[in-house]
Amino acid sequence: MSENQVSSTATTQPTAKRLADYLPPDYLVPELALSFRLQPEATRVTAVSKITRNGEHSRPLVLDGEQQTIQQVLVNGNDVAFEQAEGKLVINNVPSEFELTVVTAISPAANSSLEGLYMSDGAYCTQCEAEGFRRITFFPDRPDVLTCYQVRIEAPKEFPFLLSNGNKVEEGSLADGWHYACWQDPFPKPCYLFALVAGDFDLLEDSFTTKTQRDVKLQVFVDKGNLNKAHHAMASLKKAMAWDESRFDLEYDLDIYMIVAVDFFNMGAMENKGLNVFNTKYVLADEQTATDDDFHGIESVIGHEYFHNWTGNRVTCRDWFQLSLKEGLTVFRDQEFSSDVGSRAVNRIHAIKVMKNHQFAEDAGPMSHPIRPEEVIEMNNFYTVTVYDKGAEVIRMMHTLLGEQGFQAGMKLYFERHDGQAVTCDDFVQAMQDASGKDLTQFRRWYSQAGTPELTVSDSFDAAKGIYRLDVKQLTPQRANEAAKLPVHIPFSVELLDTEGNSLVNQLLEVTEAEQSFEFSVAGVPVPSLLQDFSAPVKLHYQYSTAQLLVLMGFASSEVARWEASVSLFSQAVWQNVVRLQQHQPMSLDSSVIDAFRAVLLHESQDHALSAEMLKFPTANSLIEQLDSVDLDALFSARDFVMDTIADGCEDELLARYRDLTSQDNPASRSFKNAILLLLARSADGNEALIQAQFDSAVGMTDSLAALSAAVAGDASCRDELLQQFGTQWQDTPLVMDKWFMLQASVSDDDVINRLTALQQHPAFSFNNPNRVRSLLGAFASVNLPQFHRADGSGYQFLTDVIKKLNSLNPQVAARIMTPLIQFGKFDAQRQALIKGCLQQLIDLPELSRDVYEKASKALAV
Ligand code: B3K
Ligand code: ZN
């Protein structure tokens, strides 16, 4: 018996894996029997696999494995020689079919990275995607090895629930107060979908009858005492199951569906077959502790993970470069779910904001990659807004081009061809093409070209012929060391309105050339609504006049286009004032802009949720994305000025509408009311009494948090007192404390860094918990831009110190909160130099994780 500790710390500089190097697996594992004897410091894992050689060759068996102590390796029951190096176990001269037994010991209690088997608040749980299974046992840890699992879990009876994928087939008692359970998953799956949970929970149970009349047991497991907060998650699950049947004709395939909510989780949730593990943030909700946005987020993430059962689990990815195959498609599906059961326009606006505020920045930064990346150092760094959200936009474009019927025919063919397989993005597009007859050859470039295509549009009107013409140019910016980008296939949705706001033309154009023109017969010069509903993930350049935007904001057929016009109106006002500041002129705002926002307040019939979106002015992040280089100080001042001036100019209407909305008890009206409150806090008066009154009388978290946010945003004199009151009231409710930490992080005071440093000692804060870290520290860098970008560099240094600490504790979270530090290309030379200095400190760390290394080194190489 040999005992060898395998370490995951690379001795050499991390190297990239490349899509071009893909080779099929040398060995397949059709069956695996896994057995766990759970102990915090030394869990014994016995893995008995049936292994078959894939094709004719004599290459050794190479398995992935990290952070385990090997106790036994047997081939067909006999001891065997093996080598171990760099996270691999190698056995030479294996037969073409054999049984491999590997016994290892792991330490869940010492696992702070939250990958593999770890402990969350006393419960055992797992996270295997992308490459965490190799921390549980030695295995070919790649998604194209599909295996039938049998799992046996042994634990003390203090852990009453012993869960794994599939169906429970046996359970019973053992000696010394222990017990066991055995699970069998009939569907072959890649190891990233394996899950195990052992703990004591409250359990909410329900059932769902599928369209073929099969009864599925539904279970939601939550921490003790939280049962009353699990009902919305359960209702959302049932809604999602019904929706997938009606819209996609997809039915659930096991007899049981389990969701376990844990407090320590690196991301939102995980779609393990039959046993989803969720961050509590996306399960627990009641009116007192969760906002309307939280309720919406839960419904959407519960849906997302459920939809993965077909798009991800039944058909999975051949390799991790194909991640968008399952993620882009599943985000598209969850967006459609939210849109079908809620407001389509508002959901579309949220998706557009993610693209414009975050994805465009990623595309323009050092981590820019196509939705199907070609080179990866640490896979966890590629669960990005590009793969997920741009990936969903690419699926949406196919939906737009093919129509619902053509798209569904494509989905049907995709499942007919590939159910039970691990496939590529190309396989998906091919199914869409074959089912619809639409040539998607050029469209495939969306998968291989990084960067945001830019559409520059100019127009002209020939009064004599009554012809309006749009000249469209497309260009995807080429970066250093990149091949020239070819034109992509862009669905370009256009509406033309007359100046009274009547719709003249509403059409889907297809832009495929570098330069293309489109002509329309119309009587007079129309107002064009271009790229309606963000019909493609591109940047649009068209010089809208204020008059045109006012027509669109009031009359475009698409509610999303009306919102887009409001965003452009606001943005133009900001940029005009940035120029004034740079020219040392006083700032000013045209009264027509104030009038346009006043009209939103006075509008009687517009959906309140849409009005709210129009009043939630563009963030500084989204403004930064509109230009190639930005004077940050001028931007912050100009944005504040425009917001304050609108608030002052509309104060009477704001107050009147606010009062009117207080009696309306629904999420859309609350959203409108609270967007107004935020503006009232900015007006010269400050409206502190109103803020205080809402805070005191709020019946739910939406209104209470909105009042507190208004106090923080308006720097109200009651701010710290309200923060204190709220913090005391909710000190024992971690998810509410996250909201509180986030507001603390957005305080505009010059000494906010001291505040955040002190809060790291708060009893509710812990560096080990990703939700806390993201709320207090991640939020500072992504939301409090004026303080993060302080000219003295102290904001950058603060974040750098946090990343240094997390680098060893939880590299995945460290790399994730690092994003604001690597997107510096648009800033002034001084700030860039300060940031680069910080990144160099990270590069110089003695035990740098691959996660942080990949991002820091790419940023410094630009
Ligand atoms: N598939 C998981 C994400 C796993 C992230 C690994 N770093 C959740 C989801 O997208 O549904
Ligand atoms: Zn997903």
Side-chain angles (χ1 to χ4, degrees):
M1 190 184 291
S2 64
E3 287 225 337
N4 287 318
Q5 182 67 47
V6 185
S7 151
S8 71
T9 317
T11 44
T12 50
Q13 214 170 49
T15 49
K17 284 189 190 149
R18 293 170 47 83
L19 166 59
D21 297 336
Y22 174 83
L23 288 173
D26 280 344
Y27 292 89
L28 301 175
V29 189
E31 286 171 33
L32 172 62
L34 261 181
S35 127
F36 292 83
R37 193 162 169 88
L38 293 175
Q39 281 182 308
E41 318 290 344
T43 286
R44 194 182 65 214
V45 184
T46 307
V48 182
S49 344
K50 190 177 191 180
I51 300 195
T52 57
R53 190 181 296 151
N54 191 22
E56 282 301 312
H57 64 81
S58 55
R59 290 186 287 277
L61 173 73
V62 181
L63 303 175
D64 304 294
E66 288 174 1
Q67 300 193 347
Q68 304 167 48
T69 307
I70 296 183
Q71 297 184 338
Q72 198 171 44
V73 180
L74 307 174
V75 167
N76 289 331
N78 300 315
D79 269 328
V80 69
F82 60 88
E83 292 155 29
Q84 247 185 284
E86 305 273 333
K88 305 272 184 208
L89 184 146
V90 182
I91 309 176
N92 289 299
N93 305 319
V94 290
S96 61
E97 250 188 69
F98 61 100
E99 185 186 89
L100 176 76
T101 305
V102 181
V103 183
T104 52
I106 53 181
S107 174
N111 182 351
S112 65
S113 71
L114 314 187
E115 282 183 90
L117 178 67
Y118 66 93
M119 305 209 70
S120 169
D121 261 347
Y124 292 87
C125 70
T126 55
Q127 172 56 37
C128 294
E129 187 177 0
E131 296 175 331
F133 194 71
R134 63 187 62 187
R135 295 175 178 210
I136 292 177
T137 188
F138 283 87
F139 200 75
D141 190 357
R142 44 187 291 166
D144 56 355
V145 172
L146 304 183
T147 306
C148 285
Y149 282 68
Q150 273 190 351
V151 177
R152 178 187 166 94
I153 309 166
E154 296 180 7
K157 284 185 178 162
E158 296 86 76
F159 300 86
F161 294 103
L162 307 179
L163 314 175
S164 191
N165 319 82
N167 301 310
K168 202 194 297 182
V169 289
E170 201 186 321
E171 61 189 333
S173 279
L174 297 167
D176 303 325
W178 281 54
H179 65 154
Y180 73 96
C182 300
W183 293 80
Q184 201 161 22
D185 184 353
F187 292 95
K189 63 172 176 289
C191 64
Y192 82 85
L193 289 174
F194 164 77
L196 174 154
V197 172
D200 193 5
F201 302 100
D202 275 347
L203 167 61
L204 181 66
E205 283 194 292
D206 207 329
S207 68
F208 180 83
T209 308
T210 68
K211 59 181 179 152
T212 61
Q213 304 304 310
R214 280 189 312 101
D215 277 329
V216 181
K217 187 194 273 196
L218 309 179
Q219 299 187 315
V220 179
F221 296 85
V222 294
D223 275 348
K224 291 251 159 211
N226 282 319
L227 200 61
N228 56 344
K229 293 186 182 169
H231 295 283
H232 177 64
M234 181 64 90
S236 302
L237 175 60
K238 291 165 79 174
K239 233 189 217 182
M241 294 177 88
W243 180 85
D244 216 12
E245 290 190 350
S246 65
R247 175 86 188 262
F248 277 79
D249 199 22
L250 294 172
E251 188 179 352
Y252 187 60
D253 52 8
L254 283 165
D255 300 332
I256 182 165
Y257 193 91
M258 295 170 281
I259 290 176
V260 184
V262 299
D263 202 27
F264 286 68
F265 206 64
N266 279 345
M267 62 269 164
M270 178 64 211
E271 70 264 24
N272 317 301
K273 184 81 185 186
L275 177 56
N276 289 183
V277 178
F278 268 65
N279 188 323
T280 43
K281 178 175 163 57
Y282 290 110
V283 173
L284 300 180
D286 63 14
E287 207 197 333
Q288 270 60 54
T289 56
T291 62
D292 294 330
D293 287 346
D294 293 329
F295 276 86
H296 181 266
I298 289 170
E299 184 181 86
S300 122
V301 178
I302 294 262
H304 180 97
E305 306 311 331
Y306 175 73
F307 304 140
H308 266 315
N309 188 55
W310 277 95
T311 51
N313 300 4
R314 287 287 287 254
V315 183
T316 194
C317 303
R318 186 193 73 172
D319 54 74
W320 287 123
F321 301 101
Q322 317 293 331
L323 180 61
S324 203
L325 172 82
K326 73 176 178 85
E327 294 305 347
L329 178 54
T330 305
V331 172
F332 171 75
R333 276 155 50 68
D334 86 51
Q335 289 176 351
E336 283 300 293
F337 167 56
S338 298
S339 303
D340 283 347
V341 302
S343 159
R344 180 159 286 274
V346 171
N347 278 291
R348 190 70 192 125
I349 288 169
H350 289 167
I352 296 171
K353 282 186 184 172
V354 172
M355 290 300 296
K356 293 193 176 178
N357 296 5
H358 304 289
Q359 200 281 324
F360 282 5
E362 186 162 86
D363 255 347
M367 276 291 288
S368 164
H369 52 277
I371 63 166
R372 182 185 54 212
E374 282 163 12
E375 244 189 51
V376 165
I377 291 178
E378 171 50 59
M379 189 55 213
N380 283 325
N381 283 339
F382 287 83
Y383 287 76
T384 57
V385 276
T386 299
V387 167
Y388 274 62
D389 298 275
K390 186 175 179 183
E393 294 300 325
V394 170
I395 302 287
R396 182 171 297 284
M397 285 191 286
M398 278 188 264
H399 184 270
T400 304
L401 291 169
L402 271 50
E404 170 73 2
Q405 229 185 342
F407 185 84
Q408 291 297 351
M411 290 297 297
K412 194 158 174 275
L413 185 59
Y414 173 65
F415 291 122
E416 274 167 22
R417 283 182 181 169
H418 300 301
D419 187 12
Q421 298 177 4
V423 305
T424 63
C425 297
D426 261 334
D427 293 323
F428 180 83
V429 180
Q430 194 62 46
M432 285 289 152
Q433 172 163 318
D434 292 346
S436 67
K438 179 94 181 168
D439 183 356
L440 295 172
T441 312
Q442 182 183 6
F443 187 84
R444 280 174 162 83
R445 287 179 190 156
W446 283 105
Y447 283 88
S448 55
Q449 291 190 169
T452 310
E454 305 205 5
L455 272 190
T456 306
V457 179
S458 56
D459 56 352
S460 53
F461 182 64
D462 184 333
K465 294 187 185 143
I467 299 278
Y468 176 69
R469 187 177 141 136
L470 289 174
D471 293 308
V472 183
K473 290 185 187 166
Q474 67 157 302
L475 184 72
T476 307
Q478 182 182 2
R479 296 149 55 95
N481 307 324
E482 273 183 350
K485 308 273 169 85
L486 300 167
V488 283
H489 186 163
I490 298 172
F492 186 51
S493 173
V494 171
E495 182 180 30
L496 303 181
L497 297 99
D498 68 18
T499 40
E500 266 79 58
N502 301 304
S503 182
L504 306 171
V505 170
N506 213 331
Q507 212 175 316
L508 180 71
L509 309 175
E510 294 186 31
V511 177
T512 52
E513 311 290 327
E515 295 191 17
Q516 224 168 324
S517 299
F518 301 92
E519 293 187 342
F520 308 86
S521 297
V522 281
V525 185
V527 179
S529 170
L530 304 171
L531 197 70
Q532 287 220 103
D533 294 355
F534 197 61
S535 60
V538 302
K539 276 190 187 174
L540 173 72
H541 301 292
Y542 173 80
Q543 285 300 323
Y544 277 114
S545 67
T546 302
Q548 286 178 314
L549 289 175
L550 294 175
V551 171
L552 295 181
M553 198 171 151
F555 303 105
S557 305
S558 150
E559 291 186 322
V560 179
R562 280 185 243 157
W563 166 78
E564 288 263 22
S566 77
V567 169
S568 300
L569 195 65
F570 182 91
S571 308
Q572 284 189 359
V574 172
W575 296 126
Q576 284 157 5
N577 282 298
V578 165
V579 173
R580 287 189 190 109
L581 281 172
Q582 287 167 337
Q583 295 172 349
H584 306 288
Q585 289 169 11
M587 292 194 278
S588 68
L589 186 62
D590 197 287
S591 63
S592 64
V593 175
I594 303 175
D595 290 344
F597 288 101
R598 181 177 294 116
V600 174
L601 293 164
L602 296 175
H603 204 305
E604 286 301 329
S605 55
Q606 183 160 281
D607 176 7
H608 287 171
L610 179 66
S611 302
E613 289 303 331
M614 288 179 164
L615 295 185
K616 290 180 200 162
F617 298 130
T619 61
N621 273 327
S622 76
L623 290 161
I624 289 169
E625 281 330 298
Q626 296 176 7
L627 298 189
D628 291 336
S629 71
V630 180
D631 176 344
L632 282 177
D633 301 304
L635 169 64
F636 298 144
S637 305
R639 180 171 175 271
D640 279 346
F641 169 80
V642 176
M643 288 199 292
D644 294 351
T645 311
I646 293 172
D648 275 341
C650 299
E651 187 155 21
D652 291 345
E653 292 81 5
L654 285 165
L655 282 168
R657 200 69 208 249
Y658 177 84
R659 286 199 196 97
D660 162 52
L661 287 163
T662 45
S663 58
Q664 302 189 26
D665 189 22
N666 63 76
S669 305
R670 268 196 293 274
S671 174
F672 192 13
K673 177 187 73 182
N674 288 326
I676 290 174
L677 187 65
L678 213 54
L679 284 177
L680 283 167
R682 301 199 70 101
S683 72
D685 175 276
N687 294 289
E688 286 204 25
L690 211 62
I691 294 171
Q692 179 84 50
Q694 176 162 328
F695 185 81
D696 292 339
S697 65
V699 284
M701 184 49 68
T702 305
D703 280 349
S704 154
L705 189 71
L708 192 58
S709 309
V712 172
D715 285 331
S717 62
C718 59
R719 180 192 74 190
D720 285 330
E721 201 182 305
L722 295 192
L723 277 170
Q724 160 103 45
Q725 226 175 300
F726 189 95
T728 309
Q729 186 182 352
W730 297 110
Q731 56 190 345
D732 298 323
T733 312
L735 291 176
V736 180
M737 289 308 279
D738 284 341
K739 302 176 191 307
W740 184 76
F741 283 132
M742 223 179 269
L743 282 179
Q744 298 276 10
S746 69
V747 162
S748 67
D749 296 3
D750 276 339
D751 68 347
V752 66
I753 291 174
N754 293 337
R755 179 186 285 252
L756 301 186
T757 307
L759 281 167
Q760 290 171 26
Q761 307 303 321
H762 190 284
F765 181 82
S766 159
F767 267 102
N768 286 306
N769 186 300
N771 286 0
R772 304 301 96 79
V773 170
R774 282 187 285 258
S775 303
L776 188 67
L777 308 167
F780 169 68
S782 57
V783 178
N784 197 344
L785 267 53
Q787 290 298 322
F788 176 61
H789 291 292
R790 289 173 64 91
D792 62 5
S794 53
Y796 306 142
Q797 189 59 54
F798 176 71
L799 184 66
T800 305
D801 292 340
V802 168
I803 296 166
K804 284 183 190 170
K805 185 157 187 164
L806 287 165
N807 170 61
S808 44
L809 213 51
N810 188 333
Q812 203 177 321
V813 171
R816 189 137 285 236
I817 64 167
M818 202 175 150
T819 296
L821 205 57
I822 63 170
Q823 296 174 345
F824 52 74
K826 299 181 177 197
F827 307 148
D828 52 82
Q830 291 89 324
R831 284 189 170 93
Q832 293 206 22
L834 288 165
I835 293 177
K836 284 181 184 166
C838 286
L839 291 170
Q840 193 57 49
Q841 293 173 30
L842 295 175
I843 288 285
D844 293 340
L845 283 177
E847 301 260 330
L848 185 58
S849 63
R850 285 196 313 209
D851 312 58
V852 175
Y853 168 79
E854 178 166 42
K855 287 191 164 184
S857 61
K858 283 185 177 165
L860 283 172
V862 173

